[in-house]
Amino acid sequence: MMKTHKFKRNYLIFTLLLMSLMMQAQQLRVKVVSEKVEQSGNTMEVDLMFDASALRLKSVESLIYTPILVSGRNKVELPKLIIKSKLRYKLDVRERSLNGTPLEAVSNLEVNMAGPVYAVEKFDRKNKNRIPYHVSVPYRTWMDGAKLQFREEAFGCCGAPQQQLVMAENVSGKQVELNAQFRYLTPEKEAEKVRYEIGEAYLDFPQGQSTILPDFRNNRYELEKINQMIVIVATDPDVKVSGVEMRGYASPEGSQRLNYELSFKRAQAMREYFAQMSTIPSGLFRTGVGGEDWDGLKQMLQDAYYMVPRKWEVLAVIEREYDLDKREEQMKKVGGGTPYKQIYRDLYPKLRRVDCQVNYVVRDFTLEEGKRHIKERPKLLSQNEMYQIARTYPEGSREFNETLITARKHFPNNDIANLNGAAAALAEGDIGLAHEYLEKVQNIDSPEYDNCLGVLYIYEGSYDEAEMRLRKAQAAGMDEATHNLRELVRVRSGASSREQRR
C-alpha cells in the first residue's frame, strides 16, 4: 500500500512539475522570430531564426536550446544550438588548443548533456544577434501537423547546471496573418553573360619535377576530372569559351621562391597537356601562379574535421609572421614539432594542386528557353532574364516568388536581387530568409528597403520600428507602404486585443 501511495505522490510531483514548465511558455531568453517546418520528399526541413539581440549572458555562461518536434505521444529532439558568452567561448577555445580536441569533445557535464551540437556561436551582441538554424530529419507520417517545442538549459563554469528547464511552444512570430504589398525592381541587362567553371586537380609529381605523368599514382583520375569539365563546356551549344587558365599552387615546405617557380612550372605543364588534346584553340590557354597556398592551409586548420594538436598555436604563428620562410620555421617549433609533422603528412599534399578555370560567354535566351534553363541550368541565365520569367506568373504566386528567390541565390551580392528576394521571401512568410537577404543590401537608402524591413518588423512584432520604416517609404511616394501601414494598424489592434483578453 505504501508503494502505491509513493507512486501516486511521485506521479503527482512529476505532473505538477511538467505543468509548471509548460506554463512558462514564451519565457525563452532568446526569441524564435522565424519558424518554418515543411516536408520535402523523404525529409522534414526545419528552418528557424533565433534572435539574441536582447540576451544578456553572465561572464562564463552558456545556453543550450533544443528544438523538439511533438505530435501526441510522438516526438523527436533536433540537434542543439549552443550560445556562449565571449569569456566562456575563449576559455573553451583555450581548452581545445591545450588538449588538441574540438570544442564539442571537451569532457564536461554541459557537452555530455548537449549531445550532438548543431552550432557553437561566439556570442557578440553587436554583430551576432541573429542565429539561423537549419536541419533535415527523416520524415515520418506523424510529423504532419506536429508542433515545435523549445527547451532552454543554462550552464555556468565547468558545465555546472544553473537553471531549471524552460519549455516554450509556438513562440514563432510567423503566425501573423499579413497581406503585405511590395514593389519589385527591374534588374539591368548584362551586356555580356560571362560565366566560368573551376576544377581542381591534385597531381602527383616525382620530387622536384614538373612533367605530367598520366600513369603516375592517381594522376589519371585527376586529369580526367579536368578533361570532363573542359569537354562539357566546349561542346555546349549555348556558350562560347573565352579562355582557359591553369593556376598552380604549392605547399609551403622549402623556400618561397622555389615553390613559386615550381607551382608555375606545374601549371604550365598542365596547360600544355590540355592545349594539345582539346578542341579549344591553344591560344586561349593561359598560365597563372598562386604560389604557396597559405589560405588553403588556414582553412583546413580552422576546420574541425582536421584533428591537429595545438593547431590554434600554429594558426597564431601564421597570422603574426609575414615572412613566409620564417613562418614555416616557427611552425616547426610548436609543440616540439609534432603538429608540423602531422600537417606535413596529412595537409600539405592537399595544397599541391593546379586549378583549371574555364571562362565562357553565354548567349541570350528567349523566354521559353529561359523557363527551361532556370530549372535545369539557372547559372546560364542573367538576373534580368530570371526577372522576366517571374513576371510571366501572377505577382505573389509561388512560382513568382520562387523565381525571384532563385535569382537571389545566383546573384547574392546584387542589391536588386537581395531586395526582390527579400520581398518574395516575406510573401512566402519566410522571415529568416528575408532577414538574411536584407542584411546583404549595400544601399539601404531606398523606399523598397524600408518597405521590406517594415513588413519584416510587423512579422516580428516590432510595431514601432515597423511604423517608422513604412512611414519613411510612404514619404518617398511608395503606395505599397501606405497599404502596409493599414495592415500594421490591423495587426497591432489584434495583438492589443489578445493582450487584453489575457
Side-chain angles (χ1 to χ4, degrees):
M1 183 65 67
M2 289 183 65
K3 290 183 179 180
T4 304
H5 285 308
K6 185 176 181 180
F7 171 80
K8 288 182 177 179
R9 183 183 64 185
N10 290 341
Y11 179 81
L12 179 61
I13 292 174
F14 173 80
T15 303
L16 290 173
L17 175 60
L18 180 61
M19 291 175 61
S20 174
L21 293 175
M22 295 305 295
M23 287 174 64
Q24 298 181 61
Q26 306 216 21
Q27 291 184 5
L28 296 180
R29 291 169 63 185
V30 301
K31 294 180 181 178
V32 183
V33 296
S34 174
E35 174 189 312
K36 186 176 181 180
V37 183
E38 285 186 347
Q39 179 191 356
S40 178
N42 295 324
T43 63
M44 183 65 84
E45 306 290 329
V46 179
D47 283 286
L48 306 172
M49 180 68 75
F50 290 87
D51 181 357
S53 56
L55 180 61
R56 300 294 183 269
L57 290 175
K58 298 176 183 178
S59 59
V60 291
E61 186 180 21
S62 65
L63 296 175
I64 294 180
Y65 290 95
T66 307
I68 308 169
L69 271 176
V70 179
S71 179
R73 295 183 178 181
N74 296 302
K75 71 174 183 178
V76 60
E77 291 195 3
L78 304 180
K80 304 169 190 299
L81 173 76
I82 299 182
I83 307 175
K84 297 178 180 290
S85 68
K86 288 184 179 180
L87 178 57
R88 178 58 180 274
Y89 183 88
K90 290 179 180 179
L91 290 173
D92 285 342
V93 168
R94 180 174 179 272
E95 181 77 14
R96 173 170 53 183
S97 175
L98 293 175
N99 293 339
T101 57
L103 186 60
E104 293 84 349
V106 174
S107 179
N108 59 40
L109 177 61
E110 171 197 341
V111 174
N112 287 340
M113 292 184 67
V117 178
Y118 173 78
V120 178
E121 296 290 339
K122 180 179 180 182
F123 181 72
D124 187 336
R125 192 155 42 257
K126 293 181 180 178
N127 303 315
K128 198 65 178 178
N129 56 10
R130 299 226 172 206
I131 305 171
Y133 175 104
H134 173 78
V135 67
S136 301
V137 295
Y139 170 75
R140 299 291 182 267
T141 55
W142 65 262
M143 293 180 181
D144 294 331
K147 296 180 180 180
L148 266 178
Q149 292 180 350
F150 299 86
R151 183 171 68 236
E152 176 186 283
E153 299 164 272
F155 295 85
C157 180
C158 305
Q162 285 186 327
Q163 180 181 310
Q164 290 283 348
L165 303 184
V166 175
M167 297 292 292
E169 187 172 306
N170 296 333
V171 296
S172 170
K174 79 178 185 74
Q175 299 175 19
V176 174
E177 292 295 332
L178 192 60
N179 179 27
Q181 291 185 2
F182 304 95
R183 180 184 296 174
Y184 299 92
L185 301 172
T186 304
E188 294 182 4
K189 292 184 178 180
E190 288 184 59
E192 195 174 51
K193 293 191 291 181
V194 178
R195 303 290 186 270
Y196 61 86
E197 301 292 337
I198 294 181
E200 298 176 335
Y202 296 89
L203 300 175
D204 288 310
F205 297 87
Q207 186 174 5
Q209 295 186 27
S210 58
T211 303
I212 290 181
L213 302 176
D215 295 321
F216 186 63
R217 294 181 180 172
N218 200 41
N219 285 354
R220 180 72 63 184
Y221 171 76
E222 294 294 323
L223 291 169
E224 185 58 25
K225 286 193 309 182
I226 301 301
N227 182 56
Q228 284 297 317
M229 182 186 71
I230 294 176
V231 168
I232 289 173
V233 177
T235 57
D236 190 333
D238 294 324
V239 309
K240 181 180 180 180
V241 176
S242 56
V244 182
E245 180 177 336
M246 302 295 180
R247 181 174 293 272
Y249 293 88
S251 52
E253 78 272 17
S255 72
Q256 180 187 3
R257 180 181 61 82
L258 290 176
N259 284 328
Y260 186 91
E261 293 176 356
L262 187 60
S263 62
F264 177 78
K265 288 179 180 179
R266 289 175 174 174
Q268 194 172 37
M270 185 100 143
R271 183 201 68 185
E272 293 171 356
Y273 178 86
F274 282 103
Q276 292 175 1
M277 61 182 294
S278 175
T279 58
I280 299 173
S282 59
L284 294 179
F285 283 82
R286 295 184 292 274
T287 303
V289 57
E292 296 177 351
D293 189 13
W294 286 100
D295 288 337
L297 179 59
K298 286 195 293 185
Q299 187 62 47
M300 285 190 287
L301 287 172
Q302 290 167 352
D303 191 335
Y305 176 80
Y306 296 102
M307 305 291 288
V308 177
R310 305 180 72 165
K311 66 179 182 179
W312 300 102
E313 292 182 46
V314 176
L315 279 167
V317 170
I318 294 174
E319 292 294 339
R320 70 170 179 260
E321 181 54 68
Y322 292 100
D323 186 309
L324 300 186
D325 290 333
K326 291 181 179 179
R327 178 186 290 178
E328 191 189 13
E329 291 305 313
Q330 291 184 29
M331 284 171 52
K332 294 178 180 179
K333 298 176 182 178
V334 175
T338 300
Y340 180 81
K341 291 178 182 177
Q342 185 174 339
I343 291 170
Y344 183 89
R345 184 187 69 240
D346 298 337
L347 304 189
Y348 274 8
K350 295 177 172 58
L351 303 175
R352 304 166 194 146
R353 71 182 195 280
V354 178
D355 288 353
C356 173
Q357 178 170 318
V358 183
N359 301 311
Y360 56 93
V361 179
V362 186
R363 71 175 180 86
D364 293 333
F365 296 119
T366 66
L367 203 56
E368 290 307 312
E369 287 174 331
K371 282 190 172 183
R372 183 174 69 253
H373 281 304
I374 200 169
K375 296 179 180 178
E376 301 168 355
R377 296 189 298 169
K379 183 178 180 178
L380 299 185
L381 274 69
S382 70
Q383 188 185 346
N384 181 271
E385 287 172 328
M386 292 185 183
Y387 181 76
Q388 297 306 327
I389 292 171
R391 299 301 300 181
T392 64
Y393 302 112
E395 189 170 298
S397 66
R398 175 58 64 88
E399 294 83 1
F400 177 88
N401 295 333
E402 286 182 348
T403 303
L404 293 183
I405 290 174
T406 298
R408 191 275 169 190
K409 290 178 180 177
H410 288 275
F411 298 90
N413 298 316
N414 181 278
D415 275 6
I416 290 179
N418 278 296
L419 285 170
N420 286 348
L426 288 167
E428 289 292 310
D430 194 332
I431 306 169
L433 203 59
H435 192 280
E436 177 188 339
Y437 293 171
L438 288 175
E439 278 191 335
K440 293 283 290 184
V441 176
Q442 297 296 314
N443 178 23
I444 61 174
D445 189 21
S446 72
E448 291 80 12
Y449 177 84
D450 287 320
N451 184 62
C452 281
L453 194 55
V455 172
L456 177 62
Y457 282 144
I458 295 176
Y459 273 115
E460 294 182 351
S462 303
Y463 301 133
D464 291 340
E465 291 85 350
E467 182 176 358
M468 179 186 70
R469 289 290 180 174
L470 292 174
R471 291 204 180 280
K472 186 177 178 182
Q474 183 187 46
M478 193 170 187
D479 294 337
E480 293 85 354
T482 301
H483 168 86
N484 293 334
L485 280 166
R486 289 195 292 268
E487 283 291 290
L488 171 61
V489 171
R490 180 184 62 79
V491 172
R492 210 171 196 171
S493 175
S496 178
S497 298
R498 288 192 296 272
E499 286 295 326
Q500 290 176 4
R501 288 197 296 270
R502 289 177 186 173

